[in-house]
Amino acid sequence: MKKVIIMLLTFMMFSCTMEVKTILVRAIFEHSYGSPLGIQVFVESTEGYSLDAARVIVKTPSGMTQLLRYNGTRAYYEGTIQSPEGGVYTIFAESKAIQNGMQLSVPCNIIAGTPDIFDIQDSGGKSSLKGEKLNHSKDISISWNTIQNTTTYIVRVYQNAALVFVKVLKDQAVLIPADTLNAGTYYVSVEAQSIAGDPLLGDKPYYTLSSGTGSSFVCTLE
């Protein structure tokens, strides 16, 4: 028991006198169209310890600043921007325990809308927008409008709440090969995404995601 107490006291003394020379700052920005921008900032020592007594400020592209609060449960600093703008955000982190503060620039594009489906038709010319049933034995094309700042579109097709087809692409149209879907009723949605950085915060110390999903469209195949 005495040995455990001595070890704890030694660790406490070391912690009180330890000076962090450098820090690592990593950030995650997440935004859904029509909602605030959520910000998570991880401030750590080079050994991987989370620093909970730092002062972390985010500066928007237009120059507005906001002080982030520390979330002890998740070990990161967090905040929201109610009316987000696209551009480069700057994060400043400093503390009395840190010899030199840290600054991180984070590029973040904001989706300017949600994609609306123009048409769903088969290669024979039948169109769901005209209320026609499509032929599942023919190629089916889905097209939608361009959304500014988008890097990726995701097309999802559901039947009875089950995802039966998904495609990630950069174009504003997708072709579903003949006989990929069976006869039946389907719900189609398109999501626009703007992504920058690395979701694992490895290659890049930041990850930004802005997304927007349009209304689902119903089509029937025979």
Side-chain angles (χ1 to χ4, degrees), residues 192-212:
Q193 291 187 344
S194 178
I195 299 174
D198 179 7
L200 298 178
L201 301 178
D203 294 335
K204 297 284 187 180
Y206 60 82
Y207 173 68
T208 66
L209 168 65
S210 178
S211 64

Side-chain angles (χ1 to χ4, degrees), residues 112-130:
T114 57
D116 296 319
I117 295 174
F118 282 161
D119 200 5
I120 302 177
Q121 64 178 12
D122 62 26
S123 57
K126 291 185 178 181
S127 170
S128 291
L129 268 69
K130 296 179 181 179

Side-chain angles (χ1 to χ4, degrees), residues 156-165 181-188 219 221:
R156 298 181 176 92
V157 180
Y158 297 88
Q159 185 179 42
N160 299 325
L163 182 63
V164 295
F165 178 85
L181 305 176
N182 299 319
T185 300
Y186 296 86
Y187 294 84
V188 182
C219 66
L221 278 62

Side-chain angles (χ1 to χ4, degrees), residues 16-183:
C16 292
T17 58
M18 181 178 62
E19 185 180 57
V20 180
K21 294 183 179 181
T22 59
I23 59 174
L24 302 177
V25 178
R26 300 177 296 161
I28 296 176
F29 286 22
E30 294 180 308
H31 168 258
S32 179
Y33 179 74
S35 301
L37 171 65
I39 300 174
Q40 303 170 9
V41 177
F42 301 84
V43 181
E44 303 167 330
S45 68
T46 52
E47 293 78 16
Y49 298 111
S50 176
L51 304 180
D52 59 358
R55 188 166 68 107
V56 180
I57 296 174
V58 60
K59 182 179 180 181
T60 68
S62 61
M64 296 180 60
T65 60
Q66 180 177 328
L67 180 67
L68 304 185
R69 62 185 179 276
Y70 186 73
N71 185 324
T73 303
R74 299 184 179 273
Y76 57 60
Y77 294 81
E78 61 183 2
T80 56
I81 303 295
Q82 293 299 319
S83 299
E85 56 186 307
V88 178
Y89 289 73
T90 306
I91 297 172
F92 302 92
E94 59 181 20
S95 170
K96 291 182 178 179
I98 305 169
Q99 287 185 349
N100 300 306
M102 184 68 180
Q103 179 176 321
L104 176 66
S105 296
V106 180
C108 180
N109 287 323
I110 299 297
I111 290 294
T114 57
D116 296 319
I117 295 174
F118 282 161
D119 200 5
I120 302 177
Q121 64 178 12
D122 62 26
S123 57
K126 291 185 178 181
S127 170
S128 291
L129 268 69
K130 296 179 181 179
E132 299 172 327
K133 292 183 179 180
L134 309 184
N135 188 337
H136 78 278
S137 296
K138 297 182 179 295
D139 294 339
I140 297 173
S141 63
I142 305 170
S143 57
W144 55 90
N145 61 307
T146 301
I147 301 300
Q148 187 178 359
N149 297 328
T150 296
T151 57
T152 299
Y153 294 98
I154 303 176
V155 180
R156 298 181 176 92
V157 180
Y158 297 88
Q159 185 179 42
N160 299 325
L163 182 63
V164 295
F165 178 85
V166 60
K167 184 75 173 181
V168 180
L169 65 164
K170 295 183 178 180
D171 300 324
Q172 290 78 52
V174 66
L175 184 68
I176 302 177
D179 294 319
T180 299
L181 305 176
N182 299 319

